Amino acid sequence: MGSKAREERLRRYWDRQSVSYDRQMAYFDRRLFGDTRSWICGQAAGDTLEVAVGTGLNLPLYPEGVRLTGVEWSPAMLAIARRRASELGVQADLYEGDAQALAFPDAAFDTVVCTFSLCAIPDHGRAIAEMARVLRPGGILLLADHVAASAWPVRVVQRLVELVTVPLGGEHFLRRPILQLPEHGLTVERHDRFKLGLVERLAARKPAA
């Protein structure tokens, strides 16, 4: 299967997942992720881009004054996010788009956010490069995801789980986005890793011009 055909199959998979996504994520937020969404969104300021906005679970968590733009790959999830924004009265420009090829000029945003999505983006390295590209000098990148655990027995289990989740929905459990940030000149300023190292959240700064 070619890359384009595979990506379309994955897009259809996430369209189908949209109906149960909020319920699934509510479970993981309670049991695993804790206050991570608030920790991430509370640090956003100015012109903010959320990559892979999903169904818009983060929309009510941004501080006042944030000018929010969101992109989402799945049309079905995007429709839910737009409806949620309308119901909440949140002003946000929400577009269908690919995290691996963001349709924005260089240095367009003060803050870029991505929560629990790099695990399922086919080329997460390309997505990180794109997020760094659209971030203004001095701007902040805010990331959170489930990552490769710090304990090797847990990583063995994660590898076994990937035998199912990667072919099914393109979801990876052994990635660690933080390791790719230095090649884009980003410096980690705040960092937490918890739940046996399964969850990692961070704020990284792009050097000022």
Side-chain angles (χ1 to χ4, degrees), residues 51-52 99-100 113-131 141-147 170-173 175-178 180-181 200 202:
V51 176
Q100 302 162 123
V113 169
C114 187
T115 59
F116 310 115
S117 299
L118 281 170
C119 54
I121 293 171
D123 188 340
H124 74 300
R126 216 164 93 206
I128 291 169
E130 280 290 274
M131 287 186 251
L141 176 65
L142 299 164
L143 300 179
D145 224 318
H146 58 75
V147 298
E171 187 163 7
H172 296 256
F173 286 83
R175 290 175 170 175
R176 279 200 72 198
I178 192 172
Q180 299 194 27
L181 300 186
E200 193 160 46
L202 63 91

PDB file of all heavy atoms in Angstrom, residues 51-52 99-100 113-131 141-147 170-173 175-178 180-181 200 202:
ATOM      1  N   VAL A  51      -2.077  22.107  16.825  1.00  0.00           N
ATOM      2  CA  VAL A  51      -1.925  21.107  15.774  1.00  0.00           C
ATOM      3  C   VAL A  51      -2.630  19.832  16.207  1.00  0.00           C
ATOM      4  O   VAL A  51      -2.447  19.363  17.332  1.00  0.00           O
ATOM      5  CB  VAL A  51      -0.435  20.838  15.506  1.00  0.00           C
ATOM      6  CG1 VAL A  51      -0.260  19.716  14.488  1.00  0.00           C
ATOM      7  CG2 VAL A  51       0.250  22.110  15.015  1.00  0.00           C
ATOM      8  N   ALA A  52      -3.438  19.269  15.310  1.00  0.00           N
ATOM      9  CA  ALA A  52      -4.252  18.091  15.621  1.00  0.00           C
ATOM     10  C   ALA A  52      -5.214  18.416  16.763  1.00  0.00           C
ATOM     11  O   ALA A  52      -5.178  17.812  17.831  1.00  0.00           O
ATOM     12  CB  ALA A  52      -3.375  16.888  15.954  1.00  0.00           C
ATOM     13  N   ALA A  99      -0.665  18.061   9.720  1.00  0.00           N
ATOM     14  CA  ALA A  99       0.418  18.478  10.614  1.00  0.00           C
ATOM     15  C   ALA A  99       1.785  18.344   9.955  1.00  0.00           C
ATOM     16  O   ALA A  99       2.735  19.024  10.358  1.00  0.00           O
ATOM     17  CB  ALA A  99       0.382  17.651  11.894  1.00  0.00           C
ATOM     18  N   GLN A 100       1.890  17.484   8.960  1.00  0.00           N
ATOM     19  CA  GLN A 100       3.163  17.245   8.299  1.00  0.00           C
ATOM     20  C   GLN A 100       3.467  18.284   7.210  1.00  0.00           C
ATOM     21  O   GLN A 100       4.563  18.300   6.656  1.00  0.00           O
ATOM     22  CB  GLN A 100       3.165  15.851   7.670  1.00  0.00           C
ATOM     23  CG  GLN A 100       2.906  14.753   8.697  1.00  0.00           C
ATOM     24  CD  GLN A 100       2.475  13.449   8.052  1.00  0.00           C
ATOM     25  OE1 GLN A 100       3.114  12.424   8.268  1.00  0.00           O
ATOM     26  NE2 GLN A 100       1.418  13.478   7.264  1.00  0.00           N
ATOM     27  N   VAL A 113       0.854  24.335  20.015  1.00  0.00           N
ATOM     28  CA  VAL A 113       0.416  23.310  20.963  1.00  0.00           C
ATOM     29  C   VAL A 113       0.119  22.008  20.214  1.00  0.00           C
ATOM     30  O   VAL A 113      -0.463  22.034  19.127  1.00  0.00           O
ATOM     31  CB  VAL A 113      -0.863  23.770  21.698  1.00  0.00           C
ATOM     32  CG1 VAL A 113      -1.491  22.629  22.500  1.00  0.00           C
ATOM     33  CG2 VAL A 113      -0.566  24.969  22.599  1.00  0.00           C
ATOM     34  N   CYS A 114       0.505  20.889  20.813  1.00  0.00           N
ATOM     35  CA  CYS A 114       0.079  19.584  20.292  1.00  0.00           C
ATOM     36  C   CYS A 114      -0.017  18.625  21.467  1.00  0.00           C
ATOM     37  O   CYS A 114       0.976  18.371  22.152  1.00  0.00           O
ATOM     38  CB  CYS A 114       1.070  19.066  19.250  1.00  0.00           C
ATOM     39  SG  CYS A 114       0.514  17.564  18.411  1.00  0.00           S
ATOM     40  N   THR A 115      -1.214  18.101  21.722  1.00  0.00           N
ATOM     41  CA  THR A 115      -1.423  17.193  22.852  1.00  0.00           C
ATOM     42  C   THR A 115      -1.916  15.837  22.379  1.00  0.00           C
ATOM     43  O   THR A 115      -2.900  15.744  21.655  1.00  0.00           O
ATOM     44  CB  THR A 115      -2.435  17.769  23.867  1.00  0.00           C
ATOM     45  OG1 THR A 115      -3.681  17.994  23.220  1.00  0.00           O
ATOM     46  CG2 THR A 115      -1.928  19.077  24.474  1.00  0.00           C
ATOM     47  N   PHE A 116      -1.221  14.787  22.782  1.00  0.00           N
ATOM     48  CA  PHE A 116      -1.643  13.396  22.583  1.00  0.00           C
ATOM     49  C   PHE A 116      -1.978  13.093  21.124  1.00  0.00           C
ATOM     50  O   PHE A 116      -2.940  12.388  20.831  1.00  0.00           O
ATOM     51  CB  PHE A 116      -2.830  13.076  23.506  1.00  0.00           C
ATOM     52  CG  PHE A 116      -2.577  13.461  24.930  1.00  0.00           C
ATOM     53  CD1 PHE A 116      -3.319  14.452  25.552  1.00  0.00           C
ATOM     54  CD2 PHE A 116      -1.544  12.875  25.649  1.00  0.00           C
ATOM     55  CE1 PHE A 116      -3.057  14.840  26.863  1.00  0.00           C
ATOM     56  CE2 PHE A 116      -1.269  13.252  26.954  1.00  0.00           C
ATOM     57  CZ  PHE A 116      -2.034  14.237  27.557  1.00  0.00           C
ATOM     58  N   SER A 117      -1.152  13.623  20.232  1.00  0.00           N
ATOM     59  CA  SER A 117      -1.407  13.438  18.798  1.00  0.00           C
ATOM     60  C   SER A 117      -0.169  13.038  18.012  1.00  0.00           C
ATOM     61  O   SER A 117      -0.302  12.360  16.983  1.00  0.00           O
ATOM     62  CB  SER A 117      -1.982  14.732  18.194  1.00  0.00           C
ATOM     63  OG  SER A 117      -3.210  15.071  18.800  1.00  0.00           O
ATOM     64  N   LEU A 118       1.017  13.433  18.448  1.00  0.00           N
ATOM     65  CA  LEU A 118       2.221  13.050  17.713  1.00  0.00           C
ATOM     66  C   LEU A 118       2.381  11.533  17.664  1.00  0.00           C
ATOM     67  O   LEU A 118       3.010  11.008  16.751  1.00  0.00           O
ATOM     68  CB  LEU A 118       3.462  13.689  18.345  1.00  0.00           C
ATOM     69  CG  LEU A 118       3.695  15.157  17.982  1.00  0.00           C
ATOM     70  CD1 LEU A 118       4.797  15.757  18.845  1.00  0.00           C
ATOM     71  CD2 LEU A 118       4.042  15.311  16.510  1.00  0.00           C
ATOM     72  N   CYS A 119       1.785  10.843  18.610  1.00  0.00           N
ATOM     73  CA  CYS A 119       1.830   9.381  18.635  1.00  0.00           C
ATOM     74  C   CYS A 119       1.171   8.763  17.406  1.00  0.00           C
ATOM     75  O   CYS A 119       1.482   7.630  17.034  1.00  0.00           O
ATOM     76  CB  CYS A 119       1.150   8.855  19.902  1.00  0.00           C
ATOM     77  SG  CYS A 119      -0.531   9.491  20.124  1.00  0.00           S
ATOM     78  N   ALA A 120       0.245   9.498  16.770  1.00  0.00           N
ATOM     79  CA  ALA A 120      -0.535   8.932  15.669  1.00  0.00           C
ATOM     80  C   ALA A 120      -0.319   9.643  14.336  1.00  0.00           C
ATOM     81  O   ALA A 120      -0.957   9.296  13.347  1.00  0.00           O
ATOM     82  CB  ALA A 120      -2.023   8.949  16.022  1.00  0.00           C
ATOM     83  N   ILE A 121       0.558  10.635  14.292  1.00  0.00           N
ATOM     84  CA  ILE A 121       0.881  11.309  13.037  1.00  0.00           C
ATOM     85  C   ILE A 121       1.915  10.460  12.304  1.00  0.00           C
ATOM     86  O   ILE A 121       2.945  10.109  12.890  1.00  0.00           O
ATOM     87  CB  ILE A 121       1.407  12.733  13.300  1.00  0.00           C
ATOM     88  CG1 ILE A 121       0.273  13.598  13.873  1.00  0.00           C
ATOM     89  CG2 ILE A 121       1.966  13.354  12.029  1.00  0.00           C
ATOM     90  CD1 ILE A 121       0.718  14.957  14.371  1.00  0.00           C
ATOM     91  N   PRO A 122       1.664  10.087  11.045  1.00  0.00           N
ATOM     92  CA  PRO A 122       2.567   9.144  10.369  1.00  0.00           C
ATOM     93  C   PRO A 122       4.035   9.522  10.460  1.00  0.00           C
ATOM     94  O   PRO A 122       4.865   8.700  10.858  1.00  0.00           O
ATOM     95  CB  PRO A 122       2.042   9.163   8.922  1.00  0.00           C
ATOM     96  CG  PRO A 122       0.577   9.440   9.065  1.00  0.00           C
ATOM     97  CD  PRO A 122       0.474  10.402  10.225  1.00  0.00           C
ATOM     98  N   ASP A 123       4.397  10.741  10.100  1.00  0.00           N
ATOM     99  CA  ASP A 123       5.793  11.187  10.185  1.00  0.00           C
ATOM    100  C   ASP A 123       5.867  12.275  11.254  1.00  0.00           C
ATOM    101  O   ASP A 123       5.776  13.463  10.959  1.00  0.00           O
ATOM    102  CB  ASP A 123       6.265  11.716   8.825  1.00  0.00           C
ATOM    103  CG  ASP A 123       7.766  12.002   8.792  1.00  0.00           C
ATOM    104  OD1 ASP A 123       8.364  12.162   9.881  1.00  0.00           O
ATOM    105  OD2 ASP A 123       8.337  12.069   7.692  1.00  0.00           O
ATOM    106  N   HIS A 124       6.044  11.851  12.495  1.00  0.00           N
ATOM    107  CA  HIS A 124       6.010  12.825  13.590  1.00  0.00           C
ATOM    108  C   HIS A 124       7.227  13.749  13.552  1.00  0.00           C
ATOM    109  O   HIS A 124       7.162  14.892  14.010  1.00  0.00           O
ATOM    110  CB  HIS A 124       5.883  12.126  14.944  1.00  0.00           C
ATOM    111  CG  HIS A 124       7.120  11.455  15.433  1.00  0.00           C
ATOM    112  ND1 HIS A 124       7.739  10.437  14.738  1.00  0.00           N
ATOM    113  CD2 HIS A 124       7.859  11.646  16.549  1.00  0.00           C
ATOM    114  CE1 HIS A 124       8.786  10.024  15.415  1.00  0.00           C
ATOM    115  NE2 HIS A 124       8.893  10.739  16.519  1.00  0.00           N
ATOM    116  N   GLY A 125       8.335  13.282  12.982  1.00  0.00           N
ATOM    117  CA  GLY A 125       9.501  14.148  12.850  1.00  0.00           C
ATOM    118  C   GLY A 125       9.223  15.320  11.920  1.00  0.00           C
ATOM    119  O   GLY A 125       9.632  16.461  12.195  1.00  0.00           O
ATOM    120  N   ARG A 126       8.530  15.049  10.826  1.00  0.00           N
ATOM    121  CA  ARG A 126       8.170  16.115   9.900  1.00  0.00           C
ATOM    122  C   ARG A 126       7.205  17.093  10.557  1.00  0.00           C
ATOM    123  O   ARG A 126       7.291  18.307  10.359  1.00  0.00           O
ATOM    124  CB  ARG A 126       7.535  15.516   8.645  1.00  0.00           C
ATOM    125  CG  ARG A 126       7.888  16.246   7.359  1.00  0.00           C
ATOM    126  CD  ARG A 126       7.575  15.399   6.164  1.00  0.00           C
ATOM    127  NE  ARG A 126       6.233  15.688   5.663  1.00  0.00           N
ATOM    128  CZ  ARG A 126       5.489  14.835   4.984  1.00  0.00           C
ATOM    129  NH1 ARG A 126       5.924  13.620   4.737  1.00  0.00           N
ATOM    130  NH2 ARG A 126       4.289  15.167   4.552  1.00  0.00           N
ATOM    131  N   ALA A 127       6.279  16.563  11.366  1.00  0.00           N
ATOM    132  CA  ALA A 127       5.325  17.423  12.071  1.00  0.00           C
ATOM    133  C   ALA A 127       6.047  18.350  13.051  1.00  0.00           C
ATOM    134  O   ALA A 127       5.721  19.534  13.157  1.00  0.00           O
ATOM    135  CB  ALA A 127       4.285  16.578  12.795  1.00  0.00           C
ATOM    136  N   ILE A 128       7.023  17.826  13.771  1.00  0.00           N
ATOM    137  CA  ILE A 128       7.792  18.657  14.711  1.00  0.00           C
ATOM    138  C   ILE A 128       8.546  19.743  13.949  1.00  0.00           C
ATOM    139  O   ILE A 128       8.589  20.901  14.375  1.00  0.00           O
ATOM    140  CB  ILE A 128       8.748  17.779  15.541  1.00  0.00           C
ATOM    141  CG1 ILE A 128       7.946  16.891  16.503  1.00  0.00           C
ATOM    142  CG2 ILE A 128       9.737  18.650  16.325  1.00  0.00           C
ATOM    143  CD1 ILE A 128       8.772  15.812  17.172  1.00  0.00           C
ATOM    144  N   ALA A 129       9.128  19.382  12.814  1.00  0.00           N
ATOM    145  CA  ALA A 129       9.839  20.373  11.998  1.00  0.00           C
ATOM    146  C   ALA A 129       8.897  21.479  11.545  1.00  0.00           C
ATOM    147  O   ALA A 129       9.265  22.666  11.539  1.00  0.00           O
ATOM    148  CB  ALA A 129      10.477  19.689  10.793  1.00  0.00           C
ATOM    149  N   GLU A 130       7.675  21.119  11.165  1.00  0.00           N
ATOM    150  CA  GLU A 130       6.694  22.097  10.736  1.00  0.00           C
ATOM    151  C   GLU A 130       6.266  23.006  11.893  1.00  0.00           C
ATOM    152  O   GLU A 130       6.123  24.223  11.721  1.00  0.00           O
ATOM    153  CB  GLU A 130       5.469  21.396  10.146  1.00  0.00           C
ATOM    154  CG  GLU A 130       5.650  20.933   8.722  1.00  0.00           C
ATOM    155  CD  GLU A 130       5.707  22.119   7.766  1.00  0.00           C
ATOM    156  OE1 GLU A 130       4.653  22.592   7.326  1.00  0.00           O
ATOM    157  OE2 GLU A 130       6.835  22.582   7.481  1.00  0.00           O
ATOM    158  N   MET A 131       6.094  22.433  13.068  1.00  0.00           N
ATOM    159  CA  MET A 131       5.730  23.246  14.225  1.00  0.00           C
ATOM    160  C   MET A 131       6.829  24.243  14.559  1.00  0.00           C
ATOM    161  O   MET A 131       6.559  25.398  14.883  1.00  0.00           O
ATOM    162  CB  MET A 131       5.424  22.344  15.422  1.00  0.00           C
ATOM    163  CG  MET A 131       4.110  21.599  15.303  1.00  0.00           C
ATOM    164  SD  MET A 131       3.704  20.688  16.819  1.00  0.00           S
ATOM    165  CE  MET A 131       3.941  19.014  16.265  1.00  0.00           C
ATOM    166  N   LEU A 141       6.881  26.150  22.201  1.00  0.00           N
ATOM    167  CA  LEU A 141       6.246  24.920  21.726  1.00  0.00           C
ATOM    168  C   LEU A 141       5.822  24.110  22.942  1.00  0.00           C
ATOM    169  O   LEU A 141       6.646  23.821  23.821  1.00  0.00           O
ATOM    170  CB  LEU A 141       7.229  24.117  20.870  1.00  0.00           C
ATOM    171  CG  LEU A 141       6.746  22.749  20.385  1.00  0.00           C
ATOM    172  CD1 LEU A 141       5.572  22.889  19.425  1.00  0.00           C
ATOM    173  CD2 LEU A 141       7.892  21.986  19.710  1.00  0.00           C
ATOM    174  N   LEU A 142       4.543  23.722  22.990  1.00  0.00           N
ATOM    175  CA  LEU A 142       3.978  22.991  24.121  1.00  0.00           C
ATOM    176  C   LEU A 142       3.505  21.622  23.636  1.00  0.00           C
ATOM    177  O   LEU A 142       2.602  21.528  22.809  1.00  0.00           O
ATOM    178  CB  LEU A 142       2.809  23.772  24.719  1.00  0.00           C
ATOM    179  CG  LEU A 142       3.162  25.161  25.269  1.00  0.00           C
ATOM    180  CD1 LEU A 142       1.903  26.000  25.478  1.00  0.00           C
ATOM    181  CD2 LEU A 142       3.931  25.032  26.581  1.00  0.00           C
ATOM    182  N   LEU A 143       4.134  20.577  24.151  1.00  0.00           N
ATOM    183  CA  LEU A 143       3.839  19.212  23.712  1.00  0.00           C
ATOM    184  C   LEU A 143       3.486  18.321  24.893  1.00  0.00           C
ATOM    185  O   LEU A 143       4.072  18.444  25.972  1.00  0.00           O
ATOM    186  CB  LEU A 143       5.054  18.591  23.006  1.00  0.00           C
ATOM    187  CG  LEU A 143       5.593  19.274  21.749  1.00  0.00           C
ATOM    188  CD1 LEU A 143       6.801  18.495  21.234  1.00  0.00           C
ATOM    189  CD2 LEU A 143       4.525  19.381  20.678  1.00  0.00           C
ATOM    190  N   ALA A 144       2.556  17.401  24.657  1.00  0.00           N
ATOM    191  CA  ALA A 144       2.257  16.352  25.638  1.00  0.00           C
ATOM    192  C   ALA A 144       1.877  15.093  24.877  1.00  0.00           C
ATOM    193  O   ALA A 144       1.183  15.162  23.860  1.00  0.00           O
ATOM    194  CB  ALA A 144       1.122  16.767  26.565  1.00  0.00           C
ATOM    195  N   ASP A 145       2.341  13.949  25.388  1.00  0.00           N
ATOM    196  CA  ASP A 145       1.985  12.690  24.729  1.00  0.00           C
ATOM    197  C   ASP A 145       2.306  11.515  25.641  1.00  0.00           C
ATOM    198  O   ASP A 145       3.027  11.663  26.632  1.00  0.00           O
ATOM    199  CB  ASP A 145       2.748  12.533  23.417  1.00  0.00           C
ATOM    200  CG  ASP A 145       1.841  12.032  22.289  1.00  0.00           C
ATOM    201  OD1 ASP A 145       1.019  11.125  22.551  1.00  0.00           O
ATOM    202  OD2 ASP A 145       1.937  12.560  21.173  1.00  0.00           O
ATOM    203  N   HIS A 146       1.769  10.346  25.256  1.00  0.00           N
ATOM    204  CA  HIS A 146       2.255   9.116  25.877  1.00  0.00           C
ATOM    205  C   HIS A 146       3.484   8.695  25.085  1.00  0.00           C
ATOM    206  O   HIS A 146       3.525   8.812  23.852  1.00  0.00           O
ATOM    207  CB  HIS A 146       1.176   8.032  25.922  1.00  0.00           C
ATOM    208  CG  HIS A 146       0.606   7.629  24.593  1.00  0.00           C
ATOM    209  ND1 HIS A 146       1.290   6.837  23.692  1.00  0.00           N
ATOM    210  CD2 HIS A 146      -0.578   7.898  24.011  1.00  0.00           C
ATOM    211  CE1 HIS A 146       0.551   6.627  22.627  1.00  0.00           C
ATOM    212  NE2 HIS A 146      -0.590   7.269  22.783  1.00  0.00           N
ATOM    213  N   VAL A 147       4.513   8.262  25.793  1.00  0.00           N
ATOM    214  CA  VAL A 147       5.819   8.026  25.171  1.00  0.00           C
ATOM    215  C   VAL A 147       6.386   6.684  25.650  1.00  0.00           C
ATOM    216  O   VAL A 147       5.780   5.999  26.477  1.00  0.00           O
ATOM    217  CB  VAL A 147       6.811   9.160  25.530  1.00  0.00           C
ATOM    218  CG1 VAL A 147       6.309  10.495  25.003  1.00  0.00           C
ATOM    219  CG2 VAL A 147       7.061   9.228  27.037  1.00  0.00           C
ATOM    220  N   GLY A 170      -2.286   3.475  13.210  1.00  0.00           N
ATOM    221  CA  GLY A 170      -1.071   4.271  13.118  1.00  0.00           C
ATOM    222  C   GLY A 170      -0.620   4.849  14.446  1.00  0.00           C
ATOM    223  O   GLY A 170       0.129   5.831  14.477  1.00  0.00           O
ATOM    224  N   GLU A 171      -1.046   4.232  15.561  1.00  0.00           N
ATOM    225  CA  GLU A 171      -0.719   4.791  16.880  1.00  0.00           C
ATOM    226  C   GLU A 171       0.512   4.114  17.461  1.00  0.00           C
ATOM    227  O   GLU A 171       0.546   2.907  17.658  1.00  0.00           O
ATOM    228  CB  GLU A 171      -1.893   4.645  17.838  1.00  0.00           C
ATOM    229  CG  GLU A 171      -1.658   5.355  19.147  1.00  0.00           C
ATOM    230  CD  GLU A 171      -2.931   5.573  19.949  1.00  0.00           C
ATOM    231  OE1 GLU A 171      -3.973   5.051  19.554  1.00  0.00           O
ATOM    232  OE2 GLU A 171      -2.850   6.264  20.981  1.00  0.00           O
ATOM    233  N   HIS A 172       1.513   4.952  17.773  1.00  0.00           N
ATOM    234  CA  HIS A 172       2.801   4.480  18.289  1.00  0.00           C
ATOM    235  C   HIS A 172       2.899   4.722  19.791  1.00  0.00           C
ATOM    236  O   HIS A 172       2.393   5.717  20.303  1.00  0.00           O
ATOM    237  CB  HIS A 172       3.940   5.213  17.585  1.00  0.00           C
ATOM    238  CG  HIS A 172       4.015   4.941  16.117  1.00  0.00           C
ATOM    239  ND1 HIS A 172       4.950   4.098  15.563  1.00  0.00           N
ATOM    240  CD2 HIS A 172       3.257   5.404  15.083  1.00  0.00           C
ATOM    241  CE1 HIS A 172       4.775   4.048  14.259  1.00  0.00           C
ATOM    242  NE2 HIS A 172       3.764   4.834  13.932  1.00  0.00           N
ATOM    243  N   PHE A 173       3.633   3.833  20.470  1.00  0.00           N
ATOM    244  CA  PHE A 173       3.815   3.953  21.917  1.00  0.00           C
ATOM    245  C   PHE A 173       5.284   4.116  22.316  1.00  0.00           C
ATOM    246  O   PHE A 173       5.573   4.299  23.490  1.00  0.00           O
ATOM    247  CB  PHE A 173       3.230   2.729  22.629  1.00  0.00           C
ATOM    248  CG  PHE A 173       1.736   2.725  22.668  1.00  0.00           C
ATOM    249  CD1 PHE A 173       1.006   2.257  21.583  1.00  0.00           C
ATOM    250  CD2 PHE A 173       1.042   3.219  23.761  1.00  0.00           C
ATOM    251  CE1 PHE A 173      -0.381   2.271  21.602  1.00  0.00           C
ATOM    252  CE2 PHE A 173      -0.337   3.241  23.793  1.00  0.00           C
ATOM    253  CZ  PHE A 173      -1.052   2.765  22.703  1.00  0.00           C
ATOM    254  N   ARG A 175       7.554   6.350  20.802  1.00  0.00           N
ATOM    255  CA  ARG A 175       8.144   7.610  20.374  1.00  0.00           C
ATOM    256  C   ARG A 175       8.460   8.500  21.581  1.00  0.00           C
ATOM    257  O   ARG A 175       7.817   8.396  22.618  1.00  0.00           O
ATOM    258  CB  ARG A 175       7.180   8.350  19.443  1.00  0.00           C
ATOM    259  CG  ARG A 175       7.013   7.683  18.095  1.00  0.00           C
ATOM    260  CD  ARG A 175       5.956   8.373  17.252  1.00  0.00           C
ATOM    261  NE  ARG A 175       5.951   7.883  15.872  1.00  0.00           N
ATOM    262  CZ  ARG A 175       5.071   8.249  14.955  1.00  0.00           C
ATOM    263  NH1 ARG A 175       4.120   9.128  15.262  1.00  0.00           N
ATOM    264  NH2 ARG A 175       5.140   7.775  13.731  1.00  0.00           N
ATOM    265  N   ARG A 176       9.461   9.395  21.397  1.00  0.00           N
ATOM    266  CA  ARG A 176       9.750  10.430  22.407  1.00  0.00           C
ATOM    267  C   ARG A 176      10.091  11.723  21.674  1.00  0.00           C
ATOM    268  O   ARG A 176      11.261  11.976  21.339  1.00  0.00           O
ATOM    269  CB  ARG A 176      10.904  10.020  23.327  1.00  0.00           C
ATOM    270  CG  ARG A 176      10.483   9.072  24.440  1.00  0.00           C
ATOM    271  CD  ARG A 176      11.487   9.096  25.574  1.00  0.00           C
ATOM    272  NE  ARG A 176      11.420  10.332  26.326  1.00  0.00           N
ATOM    273  CZ  ARG A 176      12.387  10.775  27.136  1.00  0.00           C
ATOM    274  NH1 ARG A 176      13.499  10.097  27.258  1.00  0.00           N
ATOM    275  NH2 ARG A 176      12.241  11.916  27.790  1.00  0.00           N
ATOM    276  N   PRO A 177       9.105  12.563  21.409  1.00  0.00           N
ATOM    277  CA  PRO A 177       9.337  13.797  20.646  1.00  0.00           C
ATOM    278  C   PRO A 177      10.425  14.687  21.221  1.00  0.00           C
ATOM    279  O   PRO A 177      11.103  15.395  20.466  1.00  0.00           O
ATOM    280  CB  PRO A 177       7.967  14.480  20.692  1.00  0.00           C
ATOM    281  CG  PRO A 177       6.986  13.361  20.839  1.00  0.00           C
ATOM    282  CD  PRO A 177       7.680  12.352  21.709  1.00  0.00           C
ATOM    283  N   ILE A 178      10.614  14.674  22.537  1.00  0.00           N
ATOM    284  CA  ILE A 178      11.608  15.552  23.160  1.00  0.00           C
ATOM    285  C   ILE A 178      13.005  15.337  22.578  1.00  0.00           C
ATOM    286  O   ILE A 178      13.809  16.273  22.512  1.00  0.00           O
ATOM    287  CB  ILE A 178      11.623  15.345  24.698  1.00  0.00           C
ATOM    288  CG1 ILE A 178      12.432  16.453  25.380  1.00  0.00           C
ATOM    289  CG2 ILE A 178      12.138  13.965  25.072  1.00  0.00           C
ATOM    290  CD1 ILE A 178      12.332  16.411  26.899  1.00  0.00           C
ATOM    291  N   GLN A 180      13.861  14.948  19.568  1.00  0.00           N
ATOM    292  CA  GLN A 180      14.034  15.581  18.260  1.00  0.00           C
ATOM    293  C   GLN A 180      14.100  17.103  18.338  1.00  0.00           C
ATOM    294  O   GLN A 180      14.388  17.756  17.337  1.00  0.00           O
ATOM    295  CB  GLN A 180      12.898  15.166  17.332  1.00  0.00           C
ATOM    296  CG  GLN A 180      12.857  13.666  17.081  1.00  0.00           C
ATOM    297  CD  GLN A 180      11.977  13.298  15.913  1.00  0.00           C
ATOM    298  OE1 GLN A 180      11.786  14.087  14.992  1.00  0.00           O
ATOM    299  NE2 GLN A 180      11.433  12.102  15.944  1.00  0.00           N
ATOM    300  N   LEU A 181      13.837  17.666  19.495  1.00  0.00           N
ATOM    301  CA  LEU A 181      13.769  19.128  19.589  1.00  0.00           C
ATOM    302  C   LEU A 181      15.113  19.823  19.388  1.00  0.00           C
ATOM    303  O   LEU A 181      15.159  20.882  18.744  1.00  0.00           O
ATOM    304  CB  LEU A 181      13.155  19.528  20.933  1.00  0.00           C
ATOM    305  CG  LEU A 181      11.738  19.010  21.201  1.00  0.00           C
ATOM    306  CD1 LEU A 181      11.202  19.610  22.495  1.00  0.00           C
ATOM    307  CD2 LEU A 181      10.800  19.302  20.040  1.00  0.00           C
ATOM    308  N   GLU A 200       4.679  12.317  29.043  1.00  0.00           N
ATOM    309  CA  GLU A 200       5.687  13.367  29.021  1.00  0.00           C
ATOM    310  C   GLU A 200       5.049  14.661  28.518  1.00  0.00           C
ATOM    311  O   GLU A 200       4.323  14.657  27.520  1.00  0.00           O
ATOM    312  CB  GLU A 200       6.854  12.974  28.120  1.00  0.00           C
ATOM    313  CG  GLU A 200       8.075  13.837  28.266  1.00  0.00           C
ATOM    314  CD  GLU A 200       9.326  13.144  27.751  1.00  0.00           C
ATOM    315  OE1 GLU A 200       9.284  12.565  26.642  1.00  0.00           O
ATOM    316  OE2 GLU A 200      10.351  13.161  28.459  1.00  0.00           O
ATOM    317  N   LEU A 202       5.971  19.048  28.050  1.00  0.00           N
ATOM    318  CA  LEU A 202       7.100  19.962  28.034  1.00  0.00           C
ATOM    319  C   LEU A 202       6.747  21.293  27.387  1.00  0.00           C
ATOM    320  O   LEU A 202       5.796  21.407  26.631  1.00  0.00           O
ATOM    321  CB  LEU A 202       8.286  19.321  27.283  1.00  0.00           C
ATOM    322  CG  LEU A 202       8.071  19.003  25.800  1.00  0.00           C
ATOM    323  CD1 LEU A 202       8.485  20.169  24.899  1.00  0.00           C
ATOM    324  CD2 LEU A 202       8.841  17.749  25.410  1.00  0.00           C
TER     325      LEU A 202
END
